[in-house]
């Protein structure tokens, strides 16, 4: 199982496999053609409330991670996560995000969840 996390602003690579946008909003300045996104499961992204809470600096990454993992256990996100796990069992899945620091955000939590 191979799961990668990359910024959407980086050019796609041949070994990206299935490219999955994991942001709720489409990234600024990137055309859909240039992004080469195969899937965009908006229901898998953090809730607006959680995203705003975290970006306001009100909590730690550990607390964000815990709250987001709880959201991922709800029916719709859990179903979408299972679908991505199935894709990852078949080949490489690259989670793409506009985040400047993907290792400290929701994409890293998703990558860990996919590898469980």
């Amino acid at each position: 199982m191979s799961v990668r996390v990359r910024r959407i602003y980086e050019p796609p690579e041949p070994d990206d496999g299935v490219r999955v946008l994991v942001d709720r909003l489409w990234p600024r300045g990137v055309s859909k053609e240039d992004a080469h996104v195969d899937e965009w499961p908006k229901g898998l992204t953090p809730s607006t409330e959680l995203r705003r809470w975290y970006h306001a600096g009100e909590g730690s990454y550990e607390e964000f991670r815990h709250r987001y993992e709880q959201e991922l256990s709800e029916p719709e996100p859990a179903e979408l996560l299972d679908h991505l796990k199935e894709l990852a069992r078949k080949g490489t899945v690259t989670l793409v995000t506009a985040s400047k620091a993907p290792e400290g955000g929701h994409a890293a939590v998703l990558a860990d969840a996919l590898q469980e």
Side-chain angles (χ1 to χ4, degrees), residues 29-89:
V30 178
S31 72
K32 291 184 180 177
E33 183 179 295
D34 290 342
H36 297 277
V37 168
D38 298 302
E39 301 210 10
W40 186 14
K42 295 178 191 175
L44 199 56
T45 63
S47 66
T48 300
E49 296 79 17
L50 180 57
R51 190 172 42 81
R52 286 182 180 159
W53 171 83
Y54 184 53
H55 291 296
E58 295 178 18
S60 67
Y61 175 71
E62 291 76 23
E63 180 63 21
F64 167 78
R65 182 180 190 90
H66 174 73
R67 291 182 184 194
Y68 185 37
E69 287 170 343
Q70 287 180 322
E71 288 186 358
L72 291 174
S73 68
E74 295 173 8
E76 181 188 5
E79 184 176 322
L80 293 168
L81 190 60
D82 286 343
H83 171 67
L84 292 185
K85 284 180 180 180
E86 184 61 32
L87 291 175
R89 280 192 277 279

Side-chain angles (χ1 to χ4, degrees), residues 84-101:
L84 292 185
K85 284 180 180 180
E86 184 61 32
L87 291 175
R89 280 192 277 279
K90 295 177 183 176
T92 302
V93 171
T94 299
L95 306 178
V96 292
T97 179
S99 174
K100 291 179 183 175

